[in-house]
Amino acid sequence: TLRDGAVGFDLLAPMSRDALLGLSIAAEGSTPAQHVKAIVAMRAADDSSQPTSAVAARIGLLAELTPLLDPTTLHAGDDLPVKLVVDLGEAKGVAIDVEHRPLGGGSIIYTTTRTGDTGVAIVRMQGDGSYALAARVEVGGLDGTRTAALTTLTFALGGKR
């Protein structure tokens, strides 16, 4: 459901493992220009974490940042490999902007990394809190047109999720 600019999801069954949500946003009649992917971390009744490799799956967005492992299992100082996939576009050498909002407040930390030859970038986990990764790319159309797109990946690290 969409209300006041926020999207809400009704879960039909209780979730016991981390989940992945994907959304493409486009003006009516146009090619999607924004692609959002969020990892929703779930906790079991005993408050234990239930990570899953499913969050590392590609979900078919035109431009997509995909973690190569479940980031909710990482700790401060760990590295998260992230693969950028762009339909009919180039994923080599693309800047990925990282925003880290520390758990409990504090100054937001901004960093940038770049994808290598295979479209993979390494993101260093600064500490507990929320992370938003974003890349601006051009996606290609079958008719040869190019469209600017923004793709994001969000998740939280540590603390009560």
Side-chain angles (χ1 to χ4, degrees), residues 8-101:
F9 296 92
D10 294 323
L11 300 175
L12 301 177
M15 295 173 58
S16 61
R17 296 218 175 257
D18 292 353
L20 190 60
L21 299 175
L23 181 67
S24 289
I25 303 167
E28 191 171 331
S30 68
T31 302
Q34 187 170 358
H35 307 278
V36 180
K37 190 171 174 180
I39 296 171
V40 180
M42 307 305 285
R43 291 231 175 235
D46 66 359
D47 204 34
S48 64
S49 180
Q50 299 292 315
T52 176
S53 61
V55 299
R58 183 152 189 259
I59 58 175
L61 301 174
L62 293 176
E64 187 170 341
L65 284 166
T66 300
L68 298 183
L69 52 90
D70 186 345
T72 64
T73 64
L74 300 177
H75 300 80
D78 289 344
D79 289 334
L80 174 65
V82 178
K83 183 164 181 72
L84 174 62
V85 178
V86 181
D87 281 3
L88 302 174
E90 183 65 52
K92 176 182 173 182
V94 175
I96 297 177
D97 297 320
V98 180
E99 177 185 292
H100 170 227
R101 293 178 180 264

